[in-house]
Amino acid sequence: MNYLEISSSDLLHRFSDHLQAVREGQHFIISLDGVFCARLTPALPTTSLDAHDALEAMKCFTPAPAVPHEVIRSWIEEGRE
């Protein structure tokens, strides 16, 4: 993903321009006194805030190790008699 860095003062002075850029797909990182403090990213109009929060939470999941094919096969066979 390609983020552009903007200062909070630039965001305030050119808010309409930046908002239009976000509507067109641009992502921004906003800095306050040179320190990154926020992201400004497009949102899907059909995505609820709960769905957006769930998607952001899923990004924090720690990936688990892959389950070997043999283990999956044993789970499948376990239920068969």
Side-chain angles (χ1 to χ4, degrees), residues 4 12 24 60 74 77:
L4 291 179
L12 290 174
E24 294 170 1
C60 297
S74 72
E77 296 299 327

Side-chain angles (χ1 to χ4, degrees), residues 24-53:
E24 294 170 1
Q26 181 61 58
H27 298 254
F28 293 97
I29 294 287
I30 303 163
S31 62
L32 181 62
D33 297 327
V35 178
F36 296 151
C37 64
R39 287 184 298 174
L40 183 59
T41 61
L44 296 173
T46 57
T47 303
S48 70
L49 290 178
D50 287 340
H52 177 73
D53 289 344

Side-chain angles (χ1 to χ4, degrees), residues 4 15-28 42:
L4 291 179
F15 185 75
S16 306
D17 296 335
H18 292 311
L19 191 55
Q20 181 60 38
V22 168
R23 291 178 84 188
E24 294 170 1
Q26 181 61 58
H27 298 254
F28 293 97

Side-chain angles (χ1 to χ4, degrees), residues 70-81:
E70 298 78 25
V71 173
I72 295 172
R73 175 57 57 198
S74 72
W75 292 340
I76 293 169
E77 296 299 327
E78 193 175 274
R80 297 182 180 174
E81 293 187 27

